Amino acid sequence: SRRNMKIQLRPATYDDLELMLKWRHDPRVSQGFYSQQNGHVITWAEHVIWWESRKNWQTFIIQLNDKEIGVISFSGLDCWFPQIGIYIGEPILWSKGYGKQALLAGLNWLKENDYSYVWTTILKTNDRAIRLFESVGFRQMDEGREDEWFYRKNLTK
């Protein structure tokens, strides 16, 4: 039963890059990425450059009973107002509450590390992500880049 399904976050390593890229090559997953709009398929080289160029980031692999199912990532951790991003890489597991459990675990991690606010951007066409973030208290604040919304959440409430 789903009650026995346990979501955990574990720090991602370079060894996870292959799996992350496999997920991002699934069009159902990639349609949620700003950088992969219009069918852009990310290459291994681009993926590695992204991984190695990051500063003040923390990426976690979302695990469901020890099986890798997605990614939650924080950037700008040197600032008081970091960014969050999340995806479940296995579409067969969508709409089962695992993304919400993982997002709540990620928000908890931010609180434990003394952050008061968090933000994200979501493509205007990504209804699934909009519903997810709004369900845990993110508020739509403004437009982000073209075709996306800017959301933020106060973690102290």
Side-chain angles (χ1 to χ4, degrees):
S1 81
R2 205 174 292 160
R3 245 177 291 124
N4 303 328
M5 296 297 199
K6 185 156 172 50
I7 288 289
Q8 289 181 297
L9 306 181
R10 73 156 172 82
T13 68
Y14 186 89
D15 292 338
D16 294 310
L17 280 181
E18 206 172 314
L19 177 59
M20 291 161 70
L21 188 62
K22 180 186 100 119
W23 286 333
R24 290 192 63 179
H25 280 169
D26 184 327
R28 294 167 297 179
V29 175
S30 66
Q31 69 186 1
F33 283 87
Y34 189 87
S35 61
Q36 290 184 256
Q37 286 183 106
N38 310 316
H40 173 70
V41 177
I42 193 168
T43 65
W44 175 252
E46 287 171 317
H47 193 51
V48 170
I49 287 167
W50 162 78
W51 178 262
E52 291 179 344
S53 69
R54 301 168 329 138
K55 303 271 185 284
N56 302 303
W57 281 50
Q58 178 65 60
T59 296
F60 292 97
I61 295 293
I62 301 164
Q63 292 183 303
L64 175 63
N65 293 351
D66 299 327
K67 177 181 167 28
E68 286 80 13
I69 67 164
V71 174
I72 189 165
S73 207
F74 306 99
S75 57
L77 290 172
D78 56 333
C79 140
W80 62 277
F81 194 19
Q83 180 180 14
I84 190 171
I86 185 173
Y87 65 93
I88 298 297
E90 303 288 344
I92 195 168
L93 297 176
W94 288 0
S95 301
K96 297 189 184 322
Y98 302 133
K100 187 170 184 174
Q101 284 181 47
L103 182 54
L104 289 169
L107 295 175
N108 208 42
W109 183 85
L110 286 172
K111 284 183 210 171
E112 287 170 359
N113 285 282
D114 297 322
Y115 292 95
S116 300
Y117 292 89
V118 61
W119 66 276
T120 194
T121 54
I122 304 172
L123 289 172
K124 292 179 179 179
T125 54
N126 194 343
D127 296 333
R128 178 184 303 280
I130 288 169
R131 283 194 309 272
L132 171 63
F133 279 89
E134 288 181 351
S135 79
V136 299
F138 276 76
R139 294 235 159 86
Q140 185 181 308
M141 304 306 290
D142 206 344
E143 297 208 27
R145 294 169 294 193
E146 190 182 352
D147 302 324
E148 71 181 5
W149 294 114
F150 177 86
Y151 278 82
R152 102 171 167 200
K153 178 173 171 59
N154 181 338
L155 296 169
T156 62
K157 290 183 176 175

